Amino acid sequence: MDGVSPKLLAAAQFYKANFAWDVEIQGNSLLLCLSGGMAAVSVPFRGGEHLFAATAALPRGPMLLVPGAPFRAFALVESDDCVVSDEELPKGVLFHRSPTKALLPPTVTSRGAVQWLREPSPKDRWLPVASGVIAALSRPQWRSHRYPLIRAARGEFS
C-alpha cells in the first residue's frame, strides 16, 4: 500500500495475526471493525479516572484510551447477542456494535495518541461478555441511588 505508514502496516499485521481481528487502515488511522461478535463498551475518561477502574466486578480484557471530547476508555467485549437500548445504559456509558469501527494504536488523532490501558494478550484472547460488563457498570450506580444507607454501613462511601 503506497503512502501508508510502515508502523500502521506492521500494527495491522500484528492484530490480524495474533488476534484474528478485522482491521483496516484509513488514512493515518488503524481501525478495528467491530464485527464477528466483537463489540465495545466505552465510558468517559477524565483526569485519569474512568468508571471501569471503580468497578471491581468488571472482567479483565483489552482496554483502550481514545482521545476525544471527552477522552473515552473502551473495553473490548464479546457481544453475545446483547440487546440493550441506549436508555438502559448507565449515564455516560456507550455500547458500540457492528458496523462501528474503533481506533487502535498506533493511531494519533488531533487530540493525542490512541493507547492501550490494558493490552490484549495473544495467550489470552478471550473477551469479557458485553452483558456482564454492562451489568457490572450498572450495579454501583443502582446501589448508590437505591441503597445509600447499606453502602454507608458497608464502608463503601469515602
Side-chain angles (χ1 to χ4, degrees):
M1 296 177 69
D2 291 338
V4 175
S5 157
K7 196 173 183 180
L8 284 180
L9 287 170
Q13 185 177 26
F14 172 80
Y15 293 130
K16 286 177 184 179
N18 289 287
F19 306 107
W21 288 353
D22 183 10
V23 296
E24 63 183 49
I25 297 172
Q26 198 171 74
N28 292 325
S29 298
L30 183 58
L31 302 165
L32 170 62
C33 301
L34 298 177
S35 59
M38 181 184 268
V41 176
S42 73
V43 299
F45 186 93
R46 292 186 183 97
E49 296 295 320
H50 55 89
L51 189 57
F52 293 133
T55 307
L58 188 69
R60 294 196 55 82
M63 195 175 304
L64 292 155
L65 175 62
V66 178
F71 278 47
R72 295 192 70 84
F74 280 73
L76 300 181
V77 295
E78 165 63 45
S79 65
D80 75 342
D81 296 328
C82 184
V83 178
V84 61
S85 70
D86 292 340
E87 294 80 34
E88 295 175 81
L89 296 170
K91 185 179 179 189
V93 175
L94 299 175
F95 184 44
H96 310 271
R97 359 170 149 60
S98 182
T100 303
K101 297 174 184 175
L103 293 172
L104 286 173
T107 301
V108 178
T109 72
S110 61
R111 296 189 180 265
V114 176
Q115 54 191 296
W116 289 108
L117 291 173
R118 190 180 310 136
E119 290 190 37
S121 168
K123 294 178 185 173
D124 189 13
R125 292 176 28 166
W126 69 273
L127 296 174
V129 177
S131 55
V133 171
I134 292 168
L137 291 170
S138 300
R139 271 187 241 118
Q141 292 185 337
W142 181 72
R143 279 199 306 262
S144 68
H145 293 302
R146 307 254 182 191
Y147 299 103
L149 295 177
I150 293 172
R151 290 190 70 220
R154 290 182 183 159
E156 294 179 17
F157 291 119
S158 49

